[in-house]
Amino acid sequence: MKRLKGIPVSTGVAIGYAKIIEREKLHIERKFILKNLVKSELQRFKEDVDFVVKEIEHLISNYSYSQENEEILTAQKMILRDPEFSKRVTTLISDELNSLENAISTYFTEIVDIFNNMDNEFFSQRLSDFEDVAYRLLSHTLKKRKNLLKKLNENSILIMENITPSFVTRVFEKKIQGLCTEKGSKNSHSSIIARSMNLPMLVSTMELLENIEENQQVIVDGNNGEIIISPTKSILVRYEKILKQEKIEKEKLQELIDVESKTLDNRKIKLMSNIEIPEEIDQVLKYRSEGIGLFRTEFLFIDCDELPTEEEQYKIYIEIAEKCNPEPVIIRTIDVGGDKFSRILNIAHEENPNLGWRGIRISLENISIFRQQIRAILRANVKGNVKIMFPMVSCVEEIIQAKKIIEECNKDLKKEKVKYVEDIEIGAMIEIPSAVITSDILAEECDFLSIGTNDLVQYILAVDRDNESISEYYKPCHPSVIRSIKLTVDNAHKKGIEVAICGEMASEKIFVKLLVGLGIDEFSVSPGRLLMVKNEIINCDMKNAEMLVDEVLKINTYEEIYQLLVNLG
Ligand code: PEP
Ligand code: MG
């Protein structure tokens, strides 16, 4: 038996069998092509290399935690951009009529042979770079990556080095028991999505891959941040009991499905859902969510080869709007950038992606893509239950500009005689300190505000939400964060509009009462967390919650605030 520590992303216990997802063996057939296919094979070569280069750039900017790691990735990029590589593969295709896979494989085999014949440590290190990059490119070219999930089943605990947001969305359809990764951080988008699946999960589990073997029995303890590999009989029995108890508690929560979300003294607090992919709508309906408070539409733009058209987007939005009707659906416009990378939106490599091209900045620079999305959202508002929300707003000018585009789209749709409800509510996400400080100004231009604490904590405390090595600095109940929430709520209420909270803080049990006391009108959380949050809301009264806020506002340190909330919880 082995026990390894990790950072818990999602609570609960899972027992299952390790399914390690890593490289598959690639089988390259010696295939040749007809002369008339040379042009298309060369085009495919260019596209595949561009794809993998972009992917590597993304890894460099988001997942390279050490200098060494970055150097390896940079070297791989250089290998792919080496003119000799391009020249040789082109010759192999054009003159010798090799298929693309055959040509790439031949080139790398030649290089590996040359390096193998050099008895030199420097070259043997470079050799692994070549092998790695060959694998990356060939697995893409062979479209092998899509099959990685095949081996997962209902007893699986997914084990990976790291997991990307686009990959985790694909895991969604597999009913696995839990996840554990060697890298990753608690507040990355992959973790948020995994949490929404309500699966016990650990990230940043040291030396995971060298200590685990395929099909070994494992226990993921998301409550204590531990994975137990090949547990002893007595440990297994203990965890089976915990699992049973968790099941009973979950079932008890089910009894709250039809209970209204309001405090003991009857203050109505709306309880809505965050979704990332349309498939989550079933969970939203199952838990009788009062609508969708955040639909992260960027996932339509991340895991695809072409931009979704207006029509494609419209079909998705209208289906969700109809299924939720009469409850509201808040559609957030694309928020790529940061750790959400979209190769089709062509974002160049950035030194500081979280401070770069993100959210509404990208939309306002890519007006035609923005207009398509706005038109699709407006058209989906046939029953009047759709709202638009903008991410990463840093100043009121952005809202004014966006509203102008909405107006223009409205005019065009009118001319085209499209039927929909023209009056649409508009909201801004409060995620950046400048938006908090000017929330009174933003409130004048908006119909609602929604606080995105995942980013707000990142930007207020200057701590990268995706960097596991500084995760101890990521403090959602830091006095500065609590004051920011209070200022935003007070400013919005003075202007007569409501404030939602849609960051992960809203679904952490210990924060619910505090947020209620701060005056939050609406909680938007992963569907799987709805009942837990409801249980907290219906068991608190406003007077008590406001007294808690008064007490917390008098405390100067994060540690003391945190301890107070933990003790109360
Ligand atoms: C947030 O930042 O809190 C939020 C809800 O948006 P995202 O996690 O998608 O950045
Ligand atoms: Mg955000």
Side-chain angles (χ1 to χ4, degrees):
M1 182 176 88
K2 281 183 199 145
R3 307 179 90 122
L4 304 174
K5 281 279 173 202
I7 296 176
V9 160
S10 186
T11 53
V13 161
I15 302 174
Y17 294 89
K19 294 287 171 190
I20 305 168
I21 291 205
E22 51 178 0
R23 306 179 151 191
E24 285 185 29
K25 283 232 170 317
L26 301 178
H27 300 286
I28 314 292
E29 285 175 43
R30 272 193 61 71
K31 250 175 52 187
F32 293 90
I33 54 169
L34 295 172
K35 212 170 177 134
N36 62 355
L37 289 179
V38 165
K39 206 168 151 207
S40 69
E41 210 67 347
L42 290 175
Q43 178 62 21
R44 204 153 71 87
F45 175 47
K46 187 185 168 309
E47 284 169 7
D48 287 358
V49 169
D50 285 349
F51 176 90
V52 177
V53 165
K54 268 201 189 143
E55 197 178 54
I56 291 174
E57 283 170 349
H58 173 62
L59 290 172
I60 291 173
S61 54
N62 290 286
Y63 299 108
S64 53
Y65 297 116
S66 66
Q67 171 106 17
E68 194 192 17
N69 187 353
E70 185 166 336
E71 278 166 10
I72 291 170
L73 290 168
T74 307
Q76 293 193 357
K77 195 175 127 181
M78 281 164 64
I79 291 168
L80 290 172
R81 288 295 186 218
D82 182 356
E84 281 306 312
F85 168 50
S86 168
K87 206 168 125 194
R88 178 74 182 125
V89 172
T90 304
T91 308
L92 284 164
I93 294 172
S94 313
D95 300 353
E96 299 176 29
L97 300 181
N98 283 275
S99 67
L100 174 58
E101 293 80 6
N102 208 0
I104 294 171
S105 165
T106 304
Y107 171 79
F108 282 107
T109 309
E110 288 168 356
I111 294 286
V112 168
D113 282 348
I114 295 170
F115 280 18
N116 266 335
N117 288 328
M118 294 180 186
D119 192 13
N120 176 312
E121 204 191 330
F122 171 76
F123 284 114
S124 71
Q125 276 169 9
R126 298 250 8 228
L127 187 62
S128 66
D129 288 340
F130 273 91
E131 284 170 343
D132 201 36
V133 87
Y135 182 87
R136 261 187 217 284
L137 183 56
L138 281 168
S139 62
H140 174 67
T141 302
L142 289 165
K143 305 278 177 272
K144 271 285 175 195
R145 293 172 188 190
K146 298 220 184 317
N147 293 329
L148 288 178
L149 298 177
K150 255 190 183 162
K151 63 175 169 179
L152 297 179
N153 61 43
E154 288 182 16
N155 292 319
S156 304
I157 304 279
L158 172 60
I159 306 289
M160 289 187 86
E161 186 182 12
N162 206 349
I163 190 162
T164 59
S166 62
F167 191 78
V168 83
T169 53
R170 284 197 270 136
V171 172
F172 190 81
E173 63 215 55
K174 300 275 172 179
K175 292 186 169 38
I176 60 169
Q177 293 295 318
L179 293 94
C180 188
T181 64
E182 187 164 298
K183 294 183 177 164
S185 68
K186 190 175 173 182
N187 296 294
S188 70
H189 283 97
S190 323
S191 299
I192 290 173
I193 302 166
R195 202 152 37 230
S196 77
M197 292 155 65
N198 233 5
L199 291 173
M201 177 181 184
L202 303 183
V203 292
S204 198
T205 313
M206 297 263 281
E207 297 173 350
L208 174 66
L209 293 174
E210 59 185 85
N211 279 296
I212 201 160
E213 278 170 32
E214 184 79 355
N215 287 328
Q216 270 181 317
Q217 190 171 35
V218 288
I219 298 170
V220 175
D221 181 347
N223 305 323
N224 295 306
E226 194 171 49
I227 178 165
I228 304 168
I229 302 163
S230 294
T232 60
K233 183 113 200 237
S234 65
I235 296 270
L236 194 59
V237 169
R238 187 153 71 82
Y239 271 96
E240 276 168 351
K241 266 191 203 151
I242 297 174
L243 199 59
K244 215 169 164 187
Q245 187 56 34
E246 282 183 353
K247 230 174 151 189
I248 293 171
E249 279 164 24
K250 257 190 208 158
E251 275 163 20
K252 243 172 138 183
L253 282 179
Q254 301 296 315
E255 291 165 12
L256 299 181
I257 282 190
D258 290 319
V259 172
E260 197 185 347
S261 168
K262 56 182 184 188
T263 61
L264 290 167
D265 47 349
N266 282 328
R267 165 145 155 76
K268 173 73 195 149
I269 311 270
K270 261 184 244 156
L271 201 41
M272 303 171 79
S273 294
N274 293 349
I275 64 165
E276 284 74 33
I277 49 174
E279 287 80 355
E280 284 179 283
I281 189 72
D282 295 342
Q283 294 246 63
V284 172
L285 301 176
K286 176 175 161 197
Y287 294 116
R288 314 257 204 289
S289 174
E290 294 174 82
I292 291 172
L294 167 65
F295 176 16
R296 290 183 165 101
T297 58
E298 52 274 13
F299 289 96
L300 309 175
F301 294 76
I302 288 178
D303 197 16
C304 59
D305 297 320
E306 276 171 38
L307 276 174
T309 61
E310 176 186 321
E311 202 55 31
E312 283 163 346
Q313 290 185 62
Y314 162 72
K315 280 188 184 142
I316 292 169
Y317 303 155
I318 186 95
E319 192 186 337
I320 291 175
E322 275 175 357
K323 282 186 173 164
C324 281
N325 189 46
E327 302 293 3
V329 174
I330 300 177
I331 302 181
R332 180 176 76 177
T333 55
I334 317 168
D335 183 20
V336 288
D339 72 333
K340 287 176 285 189
F341 175 74
S342 168
R343 68 195 149 81
I344 49 166
L345 285 179
N346 244 336
I347 304 166
H349 166 70
E350 295 176 292
E351 291 298 328
N352 291 306
N354 276 321
L355 300 181
W357 282 114
R358 275 202 67 181
I360 196 166
R361 295 173 190 176
I362 292 184
S363 295
L364 292 175
E365 282 292 321
N366 292 277
I367 295 292
S368 66
I369 297 174
F370 192 37
R371 288 175 74 91
Q372 270 180 16
Q373 183 169 35
I374 296 288
R375 280 175 58 99
I377 298 173
L378 291 174
R379 286 174 56 200
N381 193 27
V382 278
K383 300 261 165 62
N385 66 327
V386 174
K387 306 181 188 192
I388 303 181
M389 179 159 77
F390 300 109
M392 298 295 298
V393 173
S394 63
C395 57
V396 74
E397 290 92 320
E398 289 165 342
I399 295 291
I400 293 172
Q401 227 179 315
K403 279 170 77 172
K404 225 184 220 162
I405 290 162
I406 294 176
E407 230 170 81
E408 287 165 15
C409 291
N410 262 330
K411 267 190 203 149
D412 291 347
L413 288 172
K414 226 175 179 176
K415 257 193 235 154
E416 294 163 29
K417 298 197 173 21
V418 177
K419 272 196 184 152
Y420 67 100
V421 179
E422 213 178 293
D423 240 354
I424 194 159
E425 286 192 19
I426 289 157
M429 287 198 70
I430 304 294
E431 308 182 273
I432 300 179
S434 63
V436 171
I437 296 163
T438 58
S439 49
D440 55 336
I441 302 173
L442 291 170
E444 277 179 21
E445 289 294 333
C446 293
D447 301 297
F448 63 92
L449 300 180
S450 186
I451 305 176
T453 47
N454 305 335
D455 277 311
L456 187 61
V457 174
Q458 155 166 269
Y459 294 123
I460 283 195
L461 296 173
V463 52
D464 183 347
R465 65 192 261 188
D466 304 312
N467 185 344
E468 73 220 39
S469 60
I470 49 167
S471 59
E472 71 196 90
Y473 292 94
Y474 191 92
K475 299 167 177 169
C477 62
H478 189 281
S480 59
V481 178
I482 294 169
R483 286 168 198 218
S484 298
I485 296 173
K486 180 161 173 27
L487 180 62
T488 305
V489 171
D490 291 349
N491 277 337
H493 285 176
K494 268 186 218 152
K495 303 281 176 196
I497 64 168
E498 293 196 335
V499 183
I501 181 159
C502 60
E504 293 300 290
M505 187 179 182
S507 58
E508 282 202 43
K509 201 171 165 186
I510 59 166
F511 299 138
V512 176
K513 188 172 173 187
L514 180 75
L515 293 168
V516 168
L518 282 163
I520 293 288
D521 302 289
E522 207 173 282
F523 282 61
S524 191
V525 301
S526 299
R529 315 282 278 185
L530 280 168
L531 298 181
M532 182 279 289
V533 176
K534 191 189 278 186
N535 194 30
E536 295 305 303
I537 290 173
I538 60 173
N539 281 303
C540 80
D541 73 85
M542 283 311 290
K543 207 164 149 219
N544 256 326
E546 281 164 5
M547 270 162 55
L548 173 64
V549 171
D550 289 342
E551 193 180 346
V552 164
L553 286 173
K554 284 186 202 127
I555 303 176
N556 291 343
T557 68
Y558 159 78
E559 212 47 63
E560 284 169 286
I561 295 174
Y562 183 72
Q563 268 321 315
L564 172 71
L565 299 178
V566 168
N567 293 341
L568 285 175

